[in-house]
Amino acid sequence: MDINSQNIQPIPPFNEKNEETPDIGGGLPVIEFWAEHTLSPEGPKLWKTLFHNSACLSCSWGTGGQKGGFTNEEGEKLQRCMKSVEAISAEIKPAVKTHYFEQHSIAELQQLSSMECDRLGRLSFPMILRAGSSHYDRISWEEVYQIAVAAFRKTPERVASYSSGRSSNEAAFLLQLMMRAMGSNNLADCSDLCHAPSTTGLSEMFSTRTSIVSLENLKQADCVVLAGANSAYNHPRFMNELIKIREKGGKIIIINPVMEIGLVKFGSPAFPVKSLIPGSDISSLYLQPIPGSDTALFVGIQKSVIEQGLLDEKYLQAHTEGWEAVVQHARETEWETITQTCGVSQAEIEAAAKIIGSSKRVVFGWAMGITQQQNGVDNVFSIANTALMTGNVGKTGAGLMPVRGHSNVQGFGSMGVTVKLKKEIQEALEKLLDRPLSRVQGYETRSLIEAADAEKVDTLLCLGGNLYGANPDSTQAKRALGKIETIIYLATKPNLGHFNGLAKHNTIVIPVLNRFENPHKTTVESGNNFVRFNDEGETHLKEADLIPEVHFLTELASRIHGTYPVDWRQLQDTRYVRQLIAKTIPGFEKMATIDDTKEEFTIGGRIFSEPNFPTDSGKAKMFVAPLPVLKLPEIKDFGESESVRGLVVALMTGRSYSQHNTVVYKIDDKYRGMPHRNCILMNREDAESAGLQEHQRVTVRGNAGKMENVEVIYGAVRAGAALMFYPEVNVIFHPEIEKRCGTPAYKRVPAFVYAEV
């Protein structure tokens, strides 16, 4: 089938941009941003950090480590992006002014936005908010430890932690060891809110939990399917690989309800002559499904693969189990059901199937649009089924690649910071502890909030992250955290959670050193299973009272556990932590000698270049992924009169261009033409059918609250869908949950958009 003859283009059908949206993503604005920051007064510190041998603070596609700050794992140069500069720039700011917290009450601090919190500067001394107090006060380290030790001596099931991917593998390993040594499995992590369906789905099918594609492998692909990801904003370095694949004649299929301009055409500074100004073509085919319908779309692709004679039945017979039911399901599902469910035409689906089935080496990548759904695990099953049906798992240049967010979020899972511990790690830890681990099911992030709301949690340690800001239903999150007796936050900068996620008795904020400031070496893991080794550094905050995370965790653990099961204070030398990791975590054996060899490495047993999988049978297990039944509520379900003029949409929550998770660096998003945070991106025909006009101010109501004075912005979003910015929009909804792993459906939030009369 010739795509063009079917009138199916790289530009999707819902493509109407507003007047503020540029013609390409990236491009000269990136160079202007670099110039603005690197030539500013902060420039010398910024350049020093950029060249430091440590991994990028931003996404899991970042560069750095022993190969140098601008270099990736393949030794390629000029691999820094704008997001890394944003992250570094925020970290090298001066300290928050000495008397700021004395002069501003909690009530005042709670009025700050995410961007305003971040721009306060670096935290530089430990502080506490005591019950009944209106202000944070400075606290001594000795009192910090006294309060923390008492809090951690509560019943183990009532003690929990939460973590993010900004920290190191060493800190992650120490955190989980300290928690499990006291008998608690409550190791919630930010990944619970994003890629837990990937971990769950890949584990059930392949007995692995991460990408099975290395950067080297990706370079050999001749087709990439990228679903539910906006890598032009969130993983800009990944765009360089897509550009190179297109240049050698490969195809890129983009699946996203929004036409993200950077996924159509992207100008990369890595290729200044041929890409930066004209922009490079990215999408060969761009599909815009209804939010939450991805399983239907991929079952449609499977059905067309079968009908076009592109099914690799020989591969299925040799290397998979359960394939017959999956093939039968695709074959028997009616086209009308598929197209009505996903909103993508049969011709478009057939074009995608033709590209996938005719390509020799296909990599399937995905992110939050796939996983943050009520059926996120089924979405992952359906993608993996499609890859297996075309023989694209277990060979060079092909495979499955969840596109991770945080720079070391995958490392935390590898180190055992998870409620679903791998059997091999469990056995190794039980040998180290000389006793069985607790069998009490731990709380992942959403069940932690529910448990706290039910007054089942006494103590919480947050190693980075923003638990309050990251959670949906902000009202519940604030209420739930307020029922916990003691919360200890380890952070480099203030965030929304420090002012809104306040404990019942004591809220303690511990200022820590970041990755490039630590006085010891650390490691992190990329989203493609590559372990980077970070050199020591020093902080620019010369008068500050900061502590390395590893030092705080080991001192706390020593005071709680004594020398059981290890000499905790000895582990302040991270060399010894790495030796423990090498003995405990499968695939990390090279960690034992990395201090001497400086050899960064790809974790063993994770990249599949042959279709031999670590399952009991050695074969991949395939599962039928049922099509979702998608139905939006009616206006009356929102408690509004049906006479109110408006419409119900499937709302997607998302980050803006200049944002890292809950941290906002700029209020606007120029690539979507959204001038501030209180906007809703809508399809023009949708809005006008409800009597709404562009730039009109409306109310957006969910099932848990509403946002008022929201500006309507027309954009290239498919009919029936809309987009608003996270974390602000969290306040309006209590989400549906993927019951198999606890991930909230942030990417399909039923919302009523209307103008107040």
Side-chain angles (χ1 to χ4, degrees), residues 539-568:
T539 181
H540 64 288
L541 302 171
K542 301 306 180 185
E543 305 300 320
D545 192 9
L546 306 177
I547 192 170
E549 292 161 324
V550 165
H551 288 189
F552 179 79
L553 292 170
T554 50
E555 180 63 24
L556 177 58
S558 177
R559 292 182 182 222
I560 295 169
H561 297 303
T563 56
Y564 171 78
V566 292
D567 183 339
W568 292 95

mmCIF file of all heavy atoms in Angstrom, residues 539-568:
data_model
loop_
_atom_site.group_PDB
_atom_site.id
_atom_site.type_symbol
_atom_site.label_atom_id
_atom_site.label_comp_id
_atom_site.label_asym_id
_atom_site.label_seq_id
_atom_site.Cartn_x
_atom_site.Cartn_y
_atom_site.Cartn_z
ATOM 1 N N THR A 539 30.152 21.803 46.225
ATOM 2 C CA THR A 539 29.045 22.737 46.062
ATOM 3 C C THR A 539 29.539 24.177 46.045
ATOM 4 O O THR A 539 30.586 24.497 46.624
ATOM 5 C CB THR A 539 28.012 22.560 47.188
ATOM 6 O OG1 THR A 539 26.927 23.470 46.979
ATOM 7 C CG2 THR A 539 28.630 22.824 48.556
ATOM 8 N N HIS A 540 28.785 25.024 45.357
ATOM 9 C CA HIS A 540 29.090 26.454 45.335
ATOM 10 C C HIS A 540 28.567 27.151 46.590
ATOM 11 O O HIS A 540 28.882 28.318 46.822
ATOM 12 C CB HIS A 540 28.471 27.102 44.094
ATOM 13 C CG HIS A 540 26.971 27.050 44.076
ATOM 14 N ND1 HIS A 540 26.264 25.874 43.853
ATOM 15 C CD2 HIS A 540 26.017 28.015 44.267
ATOM 16 C CE1 HIS A 540 24.966 26.134 43.898
ATOM 17 N NE2 HIS A 540 24.799 27.404 44.147
ATOM 18 N N LEU A 541 27.774 26.447 47.387
ATOM 19 C CA LEU A 541 27.163 27.030 48.587
ATOM 20 C C LEU A 541 28.125 26.871 49.765
ATOM 21 O O LEU A 541 28.008 25.937 50.573
ATOM 22 C CB LEU A 541 25.826 26.350 48.876
ATOM 23 C CG LEU A 541 24.792 26.425 47.744
ATOM 24 C CD1 LEU A 541 23.589 25.545 48.045
ATOM 25 C CD2 LEU A 541 24.354 27.870 47.517
ATOM 26 N N LYS A 542 29.080 27.779 49.879
ATOM 27 C CA LYS A 542 30.191 27.610 50.816
ATOM 28 C C LYS A 542 29.765 27.737 52.279
ATOM 29 O O LYS A 542 30.363 27.120 53.159
ATOM 30 C CB LYS A 542 31.294 28.634 50.506
ATOM 31 C CG LYS A 542 31.858 28.523 49.084
ATOM 32 C CD LYS A 542 32.342 27.105 48.776
ATOM 33 C CE LYS A 542 32.896 27.008 47.366
ATOM 34 N NZ LYS A 542 33.256 25.612 47.002
ATOM 35 N N GLU A 543 28.748 28.510 52.576
ATOM 36 C CA GLU A 543 28.334 28.714 53.969
ATOM 37 C C GLU A 543 27.149 27.829 54.360
ATOM 38 O O GLU A 543 26.618 27.940 55.446
ATOM 39 C CB GLU A 543 27.947 30.188 54.190
ATOM 40 C CG GLU A 543 29.024 31.192 53.801
ATOM 41 C CD GLU A 543 30.305 30.986 54.614
ATOM 42 O OE1 GLU A 543 30.193 30.706 55.825
ATOM 43 O OE2 GLU A 543 31.395 31.094 54.025
ATOM 44 N N ALA A 544 26.762 26.953 53.481
ATOM 45 C CA ALA A 544 25.550 26.156 53.714
ATOM 46 C C ALA A 544 25.825 24.953 54.613
ATOM 47 O O ALA A 544 26.951 24.461 54.694
ATOM 48 C CB ALA A 544 24.976 25.688 52.385
ATOM 49 N N ASP A 545 24.770 24.487 55.260
ATOM 50 C CA ASP A 545 24.846 23.321 56.146
ATOM 51 C C ASP A 545 24.143 22.156 55.452
ATOM 52 O O ASP A 545 23.020 21.781 55.797
ATOM 53 C CB ASP A 545 24.180 23.659 57.483
ATOM 54 C CG ASP A 545 24.474 22.626 58.560
ATOM 55 O OD1 ASP A 545 25.325 21.746 58.325
ATOM 56 O OD2 ASP A 545 23.843 22.713 59.634
ATOM 57 N N LEU A 546 24.805 21.600 54.431
ATOM 58 C CA LEU A 546 24.218 20.544 53.603
ATOM 59 C C LEU A 546 24.782 19.189 53.991
ATOM 60 O O LEU A 546 25.839 19.090 54.616
ATOM 61 C CB LEU A 546 24.524 20.796 52.121
ATOM 62 C CG LEU A 546 24.138 22.154 51.536
ATOM 63 C CD1 LEU A 546 24.602 22.230 50.088
ATOM 64 C CD2 LEU A 546 22.647 22.363 51.613
ATOM 65 N N ILE A 547 24.109 18.128 53.551
ATOM 66 C CA ILE A 547 24.570 16.774 53.836
ATOM 67 C C ILE A 547 24.365 15.897 52.600
ATOM 68 O O ILE A 547 23.369 16.049 51.889
ATOM 69 C CB ILE A 547 23.793 16.186 55.048
ATOM 70 C CG1 ILE A 547 24.455 14.902 55.557
ATOM 71 C CG2 ILE A 547 22.321 15.947 54.704
ATOM 72 C CD1 ILE A 547 23.885 14.425 56.889
ATOM 73 N N PRO A 548 25.304 15.011 52.302
ATOM 74 C CA PRO A 548 25.056 14.039 51.224
ATOM 75 C C PRO A 548 23.947 13.068 51.654
ATOM 76 O O PRO A 548 23.868 12.680 52.825
ATOM 77 C CB PRO A 548 26.400 13.308 51.088
ATOM 78 C CG PRO A 548 27.405 14.182 51.760
ATOM 79 C CD PRO A 548 26.662 14.898 52.848
ATOM 80 N N GLU A 549 23.118 12.673 50.708
ATOM 81 C CA GLU A 549 22.033 11.736 51.022
ATOM 82 C C GLU A 549 22.566 10.447 51.641
ATOM 83 O O GLU A 549 21.979 9.910 52.592
ATOM 84 C CB GLU A 549 21.245 11.411 49.747
ATOM 85 C CG GLU A 549 20.468 12.580 49.214
ATOM 86 C CD GLU A 549 20.071 12.405 47.751
ATOM 87 O OE1 GLU A 549 20.852 11.826 46.981
ATOM 88 O OE2 GLU A 549 18.971 12.860 47.397
ATOM 89 N N VAL A 550 23.668 9.938 51.087
ATOM 90 C CA VAL A 550 24.250 8.699 51.597
ATOM 91 C C VAL A 550 24.644 8.846 53.065
ATOM 92 O O VAL A 550 24.435 7.942 53.875
ATOM 93 C CB VAL A 550 25.462 8.281 50.737
ATOM 94 C CG1 VAL A 550 26.313 7.235 51.433
ATOM 95 C CG2 VAL A 550 24.980 7.749 49.384
ATOM 96 N N HIS A 551 25.189 10.001 53.441
ATOM 97 C CA HIS A 551 25.595 10.209 54.833
ATOM 98 C C HIS A 551 24.382 10.254 55.759
ATOM 99 O O HIS A 551 24.410 9.682 56.855
ATOM 100 C CB HIS A 551 26.397 11.505 54.963
ATOM 101 C CG HIS A 551 27.763 11.413 54.366
ATOM 102 N ND1 HIS A 551 28.723 12.398 54.516
ATOM 103 C CD2 HIS A 551 28.353 10.447 53.614
ATOM 104 C CE1 HIS A 551 29.825 12.041 53.876
ATOM 105 N NE2 HIS A 551 29.608 10.865 53.312
ATOM 106 N N PHE A 552 23.331 10.919 55.337
ATOM 107 C CA PHE A 552 22.136 10.970 56.178
ATOM 108 C C PHE A 552 21.533 9.583 56.363
ATOM 109 O O PHE A 552 21.193 9.181 57.477
ATOM 110 C CB PHE A 552 21.088 11.912 55.577
ATOM 111 C CG PHE A 552 19.827 11.973 56.403
ATOM 112 C CD1 PHE A 552 19.767 12.738 57.551
ATOM 113 C CD2 PHE A 552 18.698 11.229 56.044
ATOM 114 C CE1 PHE A 552 18.610 12.775 58.331
ATOM 115 C CE2 PHE A 552 17.545 11.256 56.806
ATOM 116 C CZ PHE A 552 17.491 12.032 57.962
ATOM 117 N N LEU A 553 21.405 8.839 55.271
ATOM 118 C CA LEU A 553 20.787 7.513 55.350
ATOM 119 C C LEU A 553 21.611 6.549 56.195
ATOM 120 O O LEU A 553 21.054 5.776 56.989
ATOM 121 C CB LEU A 553 20.591 6.944 53.942
ATOM 122 C CG LEU A 553 19.553 7.653 53.069
ATOM 123 C CD1 LEU A 553 19.634 7.157 51.626
ATOM 124 C CD2 LEU A 553 18.143 7.450 53.616
ATOM 125 N N THR A 554 22.923 6.578 56.039
ATOM 126 C CA THR A 554 23.756 5.654 56.812
ATOM 127 C C THR A 554 23.775 6.018 58.295
ATOM 128 O O THR A 554 23.757 5.133 59.156
ATOM 129 C CB THR A 554 25.195 5.628 56.263
ATOM 130 O OG1 THR A 554 25.681 6.963 56.117
ATOM 131 C CG2 THR A 554 25.259 4.918 54.922
ATOM 132 N N GLU A 555 23.791 7.306 58.607
ATOM 133 C CA GLU A 555 23.761 7.714 60.013
ATOM 134 C C GLU A 555 22.424 7.355 60.651
ATOM 135 O O GLU A 555 22.379 6.837 61.782
ATOM 136 C CB GLU A 555 24.021 9.219 60.133
ATOM 137 C CG GLU A 555 24.004 9.750 61.561
ATOM 138 C CD GLU A 555 25.092 9.157 62.439
ATOM 139 O OE1 GLU A 555 26.127 8.695 61.911
ATOM 140 O OE2 GLU A 555 24.905 9.152 63.684
ATOM 141 N N LEU A 556 21.345 7.606 59.949
ATOM 142 C CA LEU A 556 20.023 7.239 60.475
ATOM 143 C C LEU A 556 19.925 5.736 60.664
ATOM 144 O O LEU A 556 19.468 5.251 61.713
ATOM 145 C CB LEU A 556 18.932 7.736 59.520
ATOM 146 C CG LEU A 556 17.487 7.365 59.883
ATOM 147 C CD1 LEU A 556 17.116 7.894 61.264
ATOM 148 C CD2 LEU A 556 16.512 7.883 58.822
ATOM 149 N N ALA A 557 20.373 4.966 59.664
ATOM 150 C CA ALA A 557 20.308 3.506 59.758
ATOM 151 C C ALA A 557 21.169 2.987 60.898
ATOM 152 O O ALA A 557 20.790 2.037 61.611
ATOM 153 C CB ALA A 557 20.749 2.879 58.439
ATOM 154 N N SER A 558 22.333 3.600 61.098
ATOM 155 C CA SER A 558 23.212 3.185 62.194
ATOM 156 C C SER A 558 22.540 3.411 63.541
ATOM 157 O O SER A 558 22.625 2.569 64.448
ATOM 158 C CB SER A 558 24.532 3.961 62.126
ATOM 159 O OG SER A 558 25.368 3.622 63.202
ATOM 160 N N ARG A 559 21.848 4.522 63.688
ATOM 161 C CA ARG A 559 21.174 4.818 64.955
ATOM 162 C C ARG A 559 19.955 3.920 65.165
ATOM 163 O O ARG A 559 19.576 3.650 66.309
ATOM 164 C CB ARG A 559 20.765 6.291 64.988
ATOM 165 C CG ARG A 559 21.964 7.239 65.053
ATOM 166 C CD ARG A 559 21.518 8.689 65.131
ATOM 167 N NE ARG A 559 22.646 9.603 65.147
ATOM 168 C CZ ARG A 559 22.733 10.677 65.941
ATOM 169 N NH1 ARG A 559 21.755 10.952 66.797
ATOM 170 N NH2 ARG A 559 23.782 11.470 65.889
ATOM 171 N N ILE A 560 19.352 3.460 64.076
ATOM 172 C CA ILE A 560 18.185 2.571 64.197
ATOM 173 C C ILE A 560 18.625 1.126 64.396
ATOM 174 O O ILE A 560 18.121 0.420 65.274
ATOM 175 C CB ILE A 560 17.303 2.666 62.930
ATOM 176 C CG1 ILE A 560 16.701 4.058 62.778
ATOM 177 C CG2 ILE A 560 16.189 1.618 62.966
ATOM 178 C CD1 ILE A 560 16.044 4.289 61.423
ATOM 179 N N HIS A 561 19.575 0.681 63.586
ATOM 180 C CA HIS A 561 19.912 -0.746 63.506
ATOM 181 C C HIS A 561 21.231 -1.122 64.171
ATOM 182 O O HIS A 561 21.538 -2.323 64.259
ATOM 183 C CB HIS A 561 20.001 -1.168 62.029
ATOM 184 C CG HIS A 561 18.722 -1.050 61.270
ATOM 185 N ND1 HIS A 561 17.558 -1.686 61.652
ATOM 186 C CD2 HIS A 561 18.420 -0.366 60.127
ATOM 187 C CE1 HIS A 561 16.601 -1.397 60.780
ATOM 188 N NE2 HIS A 561 17.094 -0.597 59.852
ATOM 189 N N GLY A 562 22.026 -0.148 64.626
ATOM 190 C CA GLY A 562 23.353 -0.479 65.125
ATOM 191 C C GLY A 562 24.246 -0.928 63.972
ATOM 192 O O GLY A 562 24.398 -0.215 62.990
ATOM 193 N N THR A 563 24.795 -2.127 64.091
ATOM 194 C CA THR A 563 25.627 -2.661 63.002
ATOM 195 C C THR A 563 24.936 -3.813 62.284
ATOM 196 O O THR A 563 25.586 -4.617 61.604
ATOM 197 C CB THR A 563 26.988 -3.140 63.550
ATOM 198 O OG1 THR A 563 26.751 -4.103 64.591
ATOM 199 C CG2 THR A 563 27.791 -1.972 64.091
ATOM 200 N N TYR A 564 23.607 -3.899 62.441
ATOM 201 C CA TYR A 564 22.851 -4.947 61.738
ATOM 202 C C TYR A 564 22.295 -4.393 60.432
ATOM 203 O O TYR A 564 21.711 -3.309 60.434
ATOM 204 C CB TYR A 564 21.699 -5.458 62.609
ATOM 205 C CG TYR A 564 20.760 -6.389 61.861
ATOM 206 C CD1 TYR A 564 21.117 -7.721 61.628
ATOM 207 C CD2 TYR A 564 19.531 -5.930 61.365
ATOM 208 C CE1 TYR A 564 20.267 -8.567 60.934
ATOM 209 C CE2 TYR A 564 18.685 -6.773 60.672
ATOM 210 C CZ TYR A 564 19.053 -8.084 60.454
ATOM 211 O OH TYR A 564 18.221 -8.928 59.760
ATOM 212 N N PRO A 565 22.400 -5.103 59.346
ATOM 213 C CA PRO A 565 23.205 -6.308 59.103
ATOM 214 C C PRO A 565 24.607 -5.972 58.599
ATOM 215 O O PRO A 565 25.358 -6.853 58.205
ATOM 216 C CB PRO A 565 22.403 -7.009 58.020
ATOM 217 C CG PRO A 565 21.879 -5.876 57.189
ATOM 218 C CD PRO A 565 21.590 -4.750 58.160
ATOM 219 N N VAL A 566 24.922 -4.658 58.596
ATOM 220 C CA VAL A 566 26.209 -4.182 58.090
ATOM 221 C C VAL A 566 26.692 -3.050 58.989
ATOM 222 O O VAL A 566 25.926 -2.497 59.785
ATOM 223 C CB VAL A 566 26.083 -3.660 56.633
ATOM 224 C CG1 VAL A 566 25.792 -4.776 55.650
ATOM 225 C CG2 VAL A 566 25.006 -2.571 56.539
ATOM 226 N N ASP A 567 27.937 -2.683 58.844
ATOM 227 C CA ASP A 567 28.462 -1.493 59.509
ATOM 228 C C ASP A 567 28.036 -0.281 58.680
ATOM 229 O O ASP A 567 28.673 0.081 57.696
ATOM 230 C CB ASP A 567 29.986 -1.578 59.612
ATOM 231 C CG ASP A 567 30.577 -0.394 60.377
ATOM 232 O OD1 ASP A 567 29.906 0.653 60.470
ATOM 233 O OD2 ASP A 567 31.718 -0.507 60.854
ATOM 234 N N TRP A 568 26.925 0.328 59.067
ATOM 235 C CA TRP A 568 26.314 1.381 58.260
ATOM 236 C C TRP A 568 27.253 2.565 58.055
ATOM 237 O O TRP A 568 27.329 3.139 56.967
ATOM 238 C CB TRP A 568 25.008 1.854 58.899
ATOM 239 C CG TRP A 568 23.935 0.815 58.873
ATOM 240 C CD1 TRP A 568 23.617 -0.066 59.868
ATOM 241 C CD2 TRP A 568 23.050 0.527 57.795
ATOM 242 N NE1 TRP A 568 22.578 -0.877 59.482
ATOM 243 C CE2 TRP A 568 22.205 -0.534 58.215
ATOM 244 C CE3 TRP A 568 22.869 1.062 56.517
ATOM 245 C CZ2 TRP A 568 21.207 -1.065 57.399
ATOM 246 C CZ3 TRP A 568 21.871 0.543 55.703
ATOM 247 C CH2 TRP A 568 21.054 -0.509 56.137
#
